[in-house]
Amino acid sequence: MTRQDRSAGAMEPDSGPGQPVVSRDGAPLPSGITSARLGLGRAGSALPTSAVLAFDMAHALARDAVHDALDRDALASTLGAFGLDIIQVDSAAPDRATYLRRPDFGRRLSRESRSVLAARPRVPANIVLVVADGLSATAAKLNARPLLDALIPLLRINGRSIGSIVLANQGRVALGDEIGALLGARMVVVLIGERPGLSAADSLGAYLTLDPKIGRNDAERNCVSNIRAGGLDPDQAASTLARLIERALTLGRTGVELKDDTARPDGSLPKEVPRLCPS
């Protein structure tokens, strides 16, 4: 192989005589800054065995995350230290198979859970927190508590009242709209396991919706995503969430009308998007 071939990113063998030919991509690749599958090399016309096995493992972890169950009793036990009211609810999806086939069932409460929440006294609160399994109970299991450890003190420092922590089974993001409406919360924050990818099966998302009620759409929410080890650190995520919550409660808007003012590297504030709907 010539020097010109290497500079053009050609493949070059790195095995010795008598060994299987495994070639690496000659192009320089960044190291340690992404979990994306780049420069895996080749063995003949196929991927190297190590890359194939790593892909199979990632796929298995993703499938396990989708079908895992959230141990709500264990989570409720660890969340008791916050001194908040903890409620367990179920969506209208009776099992995982139904939940995967009928997303609309995961967006509404079961009849029993709706009755339980409707019977509770409506205590005015700024925020209701919901933890749902979503498409990765693994994410909720690993990352919900560390995030709440950082977030709840920030909300209390800002003087925001927290009504309850609701643990939802077979839940999707919009389930928080019905929960927040029944509990009379001004805002609902849903922490939910995101759809697993082949580089992250434990990613948690946090969705903010002001004035929750049935019928809200995704344009009316803000999302902070990829909260996990190797992704967005829980402390950083909590700081961003607390900032967004303050702006949302102050301005009276979430979704496309609310922007994170720290997104610009020069520190300048972005211009607020004009209101799309009258308040």
Side-chain angles (χ1 to χ4, degrees):
M1 180 176 292
T2 67
R3 182 184 299 276
Q4 186 175 12
D5 292 334
R6 291 190 177 95
S7 65
M11 309 292 280
E12 57 179 328
D14 66 350
S15 57
Q19 299 297 318
V21 177
V22 176
S23 300
R24 292 179 176 171
D25 191 337
L29 295 171
S31 176
I33 64 170
T34 176
S35 55
R37 290 179 169 77
L38 300 174
L40 299 179
R42 298 207 177 272
S45 60
L47 290 170
T49 301
S50 60
V52 173
L53 292 176
F55 182 90
D56 288 346
M57 176 59 78
H59 189 236
L61 291 173
R63 289 178 61 88
D64 285 349
V66 169
H67 293 284
D68 198 5
L70 179 62
D71 187 341
R72 290 181 296 173
D73 290 337
L75 184 57
S77 177
T78 68
L79 296 178
F82 294 121
L84 295 168
D85 185 27
I86 298 177
I87 312 168
Q88 296 191 24
V89 300
D90 299 302
S91 78
D95 52 53
R96 201 61 172 171
T98 306
Y99 172 83
L100 295 174
R101 290 195 300 266
R102 292 293 304 266
D104 53 324
F105 284 9
R107 299 183 183 116
R108 296 298 303 270
L109 288 166
S110 68
R111 181 178 303 176
E112 295 77 12
S113 292
R114 188 179 306 118
S115 299
V116 168
L117 294 187
R120 297 176 64 87
R122 291 168 65 94
V123 179
N126 291 128
I127 301 157
V128 162
L129 298 166
V130 177
V131 180
D133 45 7
L135 285 167
S136 172
T138 302
K141 192 184 310 180
L142 294 178
N143 300 310
R145 176 61 197 269
L147 178 61
L148 292 174
D149 280 343
L151 177 61
I152 289 177
L154 292 177
L155 297 178
R156 286 173 167 166
I157 288 172
N158 291 335
R160 298 303 181 183
S161 57
I162 305 170
S164 304
I165 300 178
V166 181
L167 307 182
N169 188 42
Q170 315 288 9
R172 294 186 185 264
V173 173
L175 189 70
D177 298 339
E178 188 172 11
I179 293 171
L182 287 168
L183 295 178
R186 192 174 174 203
M187 170 182 283
V188 65
V189 179
V190 178
L191 312 182
I192 189 167
E194 295 177 345
R195 185 186 305 276
L198 289 175
S199 60
D202 59 347
S203 181
L204 188 75
Y207 292 80
L208 287 61
T209 309
L210 193 70
D211 188 19
K213 58 186 177 184
I214 294 174
R216 289 294 190 199
N217 59 54
D218 290 343
E220 297 172 299
R221 315 183 198 283
N222 289 89
C223 176
V224 176
S225 66
N226 199 30
I227 304 167
R228 66 183 181 89
L232 183 62
D233 178 82
D235 290 342
Q236 292 180 301
S239 177
T240 300
L241 283 168
R243 188 168 53 249
L244 282 171
I245 289 170
E246 280 306 300
R247 288 180 61 79
L249 293 173
T250 300
L251 299 174
R253 63 188 72 168
T254 50
V256 297
E257 297 178 327
L258 178 68
K259 303 299 178 187
D260 184 359
D261 58 9
T262 61
R264 296 185 175 186
D266 63 358
S268 62
L269 298 178
K271 183 182 296 183
E272 286 291 339
V273 177
R275 295 185 68 83
L276 300 178
C277 306
S279 58

